Amino acid sequence: MAVVLDLVNNPRPRHPEKAHRPDSPLAKKPDWIRVKAPVSPGYEQTRAIMRENKLVTVCEEAGCPNIGECWEKKHATFMIMGDTCTRACAFCNVKTGLPGALDPNEPAHVGQATAKLGLNHIVVTSVDRDDLADGGAQHFAETIRAIRESCPTTTIEILTPDFLRKDGALEVVVAARPDVFNHNLETVPSHYLTVRPGARYFHSLRLLQRVKELDPQMFTKSGIMVGLGEERNEVLQVMDDLRSANVDFLTIGQYLQPTRKHHEVKRFVPPDEFKSLETIAYAKGFLMVASSPLTRSSHHAGDDFARLKAARAQRA
């Protein structure tokens, strides 16, 4: 017997794997977390360029609270390889399911949009593509090359998946020579089974270390969220682990719960604690640290890259 699904009147849920999870409480956000709704002309212009080039942004897909500020300045983080992720992380608002085929024109579209926005620094991320033999590594490399061709002076930051069980994938991406290689650990090791079940903490750590082995001059970056129930000492241990992997740049931000079906916010960390973590991270040797409630991986990425280069030059 055939089963017919009505996907017009009853479209697939955004997070089918979370549909049967019990609801988690949605905590009221403190004053220091609230941001204004995006309404500026600059925001609308950036949005129009994205739609014109048929591009997906993590700013929209992940519900970033900084989208109004960034898009007003024509800053955006491009999300390549579609809008559907093969993983089901408990914190993430990106749609999950079986992705479609890669768009061979996407790298060129990203390069064209970079030129139209006049970006000096661009951030490119992606969904996890465990369905692809190389995890999308070649597509990353082609996108980097397309940006270089359209905008030779633009610096490129990539935020990649972990390429778990994809031998040789990392080497393909590093060979394309992005300026910054970012891969987020997201949380402390004890929370991986509940927060990031498809990933492995020490694999992600080793990936960051391997980037430095392949290209010691490439800047590496990673980030974590707090407010998921982690202990302070666990956060400090993650810092030590990242420094052991020679990671240059650390970001720390507050976890915000997208829906009742996602992991609940255990605590809203006050700004003074973020400042304390920043001080400790600098003492541990990071070249650059961004730590605040609204810090996200690509927030102020261009300005931060300039400071990152200056910090390296000062230590040389």
Side-chain angles (χ1 to χ4, degrees), residues 35-47 50 57-60 64-78 117 119 121 123 294-304:
V35 294
K36 294 181 180 179
V39 293
S40 70
Y43 168 85
E44 294 298 338
Q45 290 167 8
T46 301
R47 187 175 184 275
M50 299 304 164
T57 67
V58 76
C59 320
E60 295 169 289
C64 180
N66 302 313
I67 188 170
E69 176 193 350
C70 292
W71 281 29
E72 181 180 3
K73 298 174 182 176
K74 293 190 175 180
H75 296 168
T77 298
F78 297 93
L117 288 166
L119 300 179
H121 185 81
V123 183
L294 290 175
T295 289
R296 295 296 182 268
S297 289
S298 54
H299 194 209
H300 299 152
D303 294 337
D304 286 344

Side-chain angles (χ1 to χ4, degrees), residues 167-201:
D167 290 344
L170 176 65
E171 287 75 6
V172 170
V173 179
V174 173
R177 299 295 301 263
D179 296 281
V180 181
F181 191 108
N182 185 3
H183 173 66
N184 287 334
L185 294 184
E186 306 292 7
T187 188
V188 299
S190 65
H191 280 39
Y192 262 55
L193 284 178
T194 54
V195 174
R196 200 178 173 219
R200 299 294 178 268
Y201 177 80

Side-chain angles (χ1 to χ4, degrees), residues 13-27 60-63 83 85 87-97 191 194-197 225 227-228 255-266:
R14 185 176 178 87
H15 304 289
E17 78 294 336
K18 298 181 176 76
H20 300 294
R21 288 185 56 176
D23 286 356
S24 298
L26 283 171
E60 295 169 289
E61 293 301 317
D83 65 353
C85 186
R87 303 271 178 99
C89 297
F91 66 88
C92 185
N93 199 37
V94 173
K95 184 167 61 176
T96 56
H191 280 39
T194 54
V195 174
R196 200 178 173 219
M225 302 169 289
L228 286 158
Y255 166 64
L256 297 177
Q257 183 180 350
T259 72
R260 291 184 181 275
K261 296 297 183 182
H262 287 77
H263 196 292
E264 68 177 299
V265 175
K266 297 291 187 180

Side-chain angles (χ1 to χ4, degrees), residues 29-30 37 51 61 67 73-74 79 84 108 110 114 122 129 142 144 149 233 268 289 298-299 303 305 316:
K29 295 176 184 175
R51 298 293 83 79
E61 293 301 317
I67 188 170
K73 298 174 182 176
K74 293 190 175 180
M79 190 167 79
T84 304
V110 173
T114 303
I122 183 175
R129 292 296 304 257
E142 290 170 2
I144 293 168
E149 185 174 340
N233 283 345
F268 286 107
V289 182
S298 54
H299 194 209
D303 294 337
F305 179 64

